[in-house]
Structures are given as structure tokens and as C-alpha cells.
Amino acid sequence: MVKTIRVYELGGPEVLKWEDVQIGEPNEGEIRVKIQAIGLNFVDVYIRKGVYKIATMPFTPGVEAAGVVTAVGPGITGWKVGDVVAYAGGSMGSYSEEQILPANKVVPLPPSINPTVGASIMVKGMTVHYLVRCCFKVEPGHIVLVHAAAGGVGSLLCQWANALGATVIGTVSTNEKAVQAKEDGCHHVIIYKEEDFVARVNEITSGNGVHVVYDSVGKDTFQGSLACLRPRGFMVNFGQSSGTPDPVPLPSLGAKALFLTRPSLMHYSATRDDLLEAAGEVFANVASGVLRVRVNHKYPLSQAAQAHADLESRKTSGSVVLIPDCLWQDILN
């Protein structure tokens, strides 16, 4: 039996229940992993609330973790007991002390990256990879607008875009987060509670607008984000922490010949080659110092409900990691 978080009904953080479950042995094509750290992502909130639909109930949430292989299924090659691995997406259920995973969905974690960092960099790092390298290829001279610039994805996105030579404009909610955004490569930081981000972007760009907006906030920022774009600009909406944006009449994009996309990590890591390429580039950028991973908050796995509540209320910045309770004392020491 292992400790895990289970969800029996959709709702608020209180639906996250701490239980004992039996996970069994891996089948063909699977491995069992003893989880050392779990990445908390906003997609976990969307799934818990029912914004993103799942097929079965009850379920164990979580789409990102790092740990050690403890068993391999029949016919598995390339993995052995003791290997340190990480994964993102492909198999839900990381809010657990152990998990059985498809072997082709995990990647080897380099020795230079500890499991806590590994668990916080897979989803967020690979998300940033497809944002700046695939959806819109950021190059020197580009001006980019990043909403939630001090969040887990936003922090890495500002760093990577800056390293690629872009001028980075970030929006945040507090002065404290503004300081972090500056440290992470934002050339201009807008505290959206104190000033109109559309007017400020217009001022910064001398009325020209930005080349691309990376918007994970959704409803509250969507229309303003479109207004910030220059002609033929790219609107990349990859989240909806404030709610789903209102429908966009197609002709409204024609006024400036704008591009609009709603990507997801699943579509940019669908093949084994895609997964290895994205993870490899992320790990290389961490090792070289291009990306500094901010693991600003850690919670015991049993307190996942509190972690969700803090994330939703914007009390967190950078990455949030859950640690299995059996390992929590080691983290404190």
C-alpha cells in the first residue's frame, strides 16, 4: 500500500483526499517509480474543477514527477531498477508515493539536476520550449509580452525569451513579484493592479505593439492582449487561470491580420523524439544557467489541498513542488 491523493468528485481543494492504495506491479511496457518530488501545475486545478474533462472517477491527479525506478515490466529495455527519471503528461497520477508509468513517457534525469528541480521543470520547461521555439520562434529584436511573469511558466519564459535576444515585457500582481520578474529577464514590468497594461505596452512600444503575447491568464487579459499586438502579431493563449476567454469573431482578427493559437504540451511532445528533444533542450539550458529554476514553495503531499488553494489565490510564485510525506523530513534537514 502507498499513500496517494484521490478525487471522488469535482470541486475545490477540499475534494483532494489522502488515502492508502494498492498500485501492483508494472505490466508490459511499464515501469514502477518511487516518486521523490511532484510538480504542481495549474492543469491540476483545471482537472480537479472539471474545466478539463477526465474519463474516470475516482482518480489520482498530477501530471509531473521525478523519482527512482523500482521495477520494470516484461520486455522493457533501456530502463533498470535504480534509474532516476522524470516525466510530464502522458499519464495522470503523480500525487502518490509510487506510480506505474508507460516506459516511453519518461526521460532520464541528468545527474546535475536533482529530483525537486526535475519535477518542477518538466511541464513548465517543455511548455516554454514549445512557446518560444515552436509556436512563435523568438529571435533577437522581437518584443514579447508575458502575462503572469512571476509564475512557474512565466519565470522560465522570461528567462528564455531574454536569452534569445527579445525585449521582454511582463505583467505581475505585486511589487514583490515585479522584483522577481526583473531578475528573470523582464526589461519592463507592469503591475496590472496599478496600471492599464494595454496603455503601458502601447507606451513602451511607441504605439507599435508587440510581436507576440504569451497569455496563460485567459478571460481577464485576452481582449487586452489582442489590443497589444502589432499587425501580423501572434496571440498564444496557453491557459485560463481567470476563466475561459469569450469567443472571438474571426473577422475581428482581420483588422490587424493577427494569428491566434491555443496550444498544449500534449501536442508538442506526442512522439518519443519530440519528448526527448524538448526535455534535452530544457535540461541543457538549466545546466548552462540560461534557465534558473525557482522552486519557491514546497508542501508535503498530504497538504496538496493547501498547495492548490495557495496557487489559485496567487499566493505563490515560481514553481510549487509536493514532496511525499515519507521524504518530507529529509527535505527539511
Side-chain angles (χ1 to χ4, degrees):
M1 302 293 284
V2 299
K3 288 289 187 181
T4 189
I5 295 290
R6 298 288 280 170
V7 174
Y8 291 86
E9 59 180 333
L10 303 177
E14 69 280 357
V15 304
L16 299 171
K17 305 300 183 183
W18 181 237
E19 295 186 350
D20 292 304
V21 299
Q22 184 75 42
I23 67 166
E25 296 297 323
N27 294 317
E28 186 172 353
E30 296 178 332
I31 60 175
R32 189 176 68 214
V33 176
K34 181 177 178 62
I35 302 297
Q36 294 178 308
I38 302 143
L40 173 59
N41 296 281
F42 230 101
V43 68
D44 302 344
V45 174
Y46 298 151
I47 292 170
R48 189 203 75 219
K49 296 169 72 172
V51 176
Y52 292 170
K53 307 302 180 184
I54 59 167
T56 59
M57 191 78 80
F59 66 90
T60 296
V63 296
E64 178 182 39
V68 179
V69 176
T70 58
V72 297
I76 290 292
T77 59
W79 298 112
K80 64 182 185 302
V81 172
D83 285 344
V84 182
V85 299
Y87 87 96
S91 183
M92 194 165 65
S94 65
Y95 284 28
S96 181
E97 291 178 337
E98 292 193 57
Q99 184 180 8
I100 292 177
L101 293 161
N104 65 348
K105 293 299 183 181
V106 304
V107 299
L109 190 64
S112 61
I113 298 177
N114 69 54
T116 300
V117 171
S120 65
I121 198 68
M122 287 293 291
V123 167
K124 299 170 189 67
M126 292 200 300
T127 294
V128 174
H129 175 268
Y130 79 68
L131 290 176
V132 301
R133 305 299 284 167
C134 303
C135 289
F136 179 88
K137 292 189 176 181
V138 175
E139 297 177 351
H142 285 150
I143 305 174
V144 308
L145 174 61
V146 178
H147 288 299
V153 172
S155 170
L156 299 173
L157 179 50
C158 292
Q159 294 176 55
W160 204 331
N162 181 297
L164 290 171
T167 297
V168 183
I169 305 171
T171 69
V172 298
S173 59
T174 67
N175 285 298
E176 181 182 17
K177 291 183 178 181
V179 171
Q180 177 187 307
K182 274 282 190 181
E183 293 174 353
D184 287 339
C186 279
H187 300 88
H188 307 275
V189 182
I190 302 168
I191 303 175
Y192 64 82
K193 291 184 177 181
E194 299 179 3
E195 53 186 337
D196 181 347
F197 76 84
V198 177
R200 184 72 181 106
V201 167
N202 189 61
E203 178 184 352
I204 292 168
T205 63
S206 300
N208 293 316
V210 301
H211 293 87
V212 59
V213 178
Y214 294 114
D215 188 343
S216 63
V217 177
K219 187 177 181 64
D220 290 351
T221 54
F222 190 82
Q223 290 299 327
S225 295
L226 291 175
C228 289
L229 288 166
R230 64 178 56 202
R232 294 186 296 172
F234 279 70
M235 173 65 180
V236 185
N237 172 245
F238 64 100
Q240 59 243 11
S241 60
S242 68
T244 304
D246 294 329
V248 180
L250 190 59
S252 68
L253 300 177
K256 293 191 288 185
L258 300 178
F259 295 86
L260 170 62
T261 184
R262 177 56 173 93
S264 71
L265 178 58
M266 174 179 65
H267 295 106
Y268 286 90
S269 59
T271 69
R272 181 70 180 168
D273 286 345
D274 288 339
L275 174 62
L276 292 174
E277 179 183 353
E281 192 165 348
V282 170
F283 294 154
N285 279 339
V286 173
S288 69
V290 169
L291 296 179
R292 179 178 56 171
V293 185
R294 292 180 177 270
V295 184
N296 289 349
H297 308 273
K298 299 173 186 175
Y299 299 79
L301 178 57
S302 60
Q303 295 180 18
Q306 184 61 55
H308 273 231
D310 290 348
L311 180 65
E312 286 185 271
S313 61
R314 303 196 179 194
K315 292 180 180 178
T316 66
S317 64
S319 295
V320 182
V321 171
L322 306 174
I323 304 295
D325 288 52
C326 58
L327 301 176
W328 181 248
Q329 197 59 46
D330 295 338
I331 292 295
L332 294 181
N333 293 336

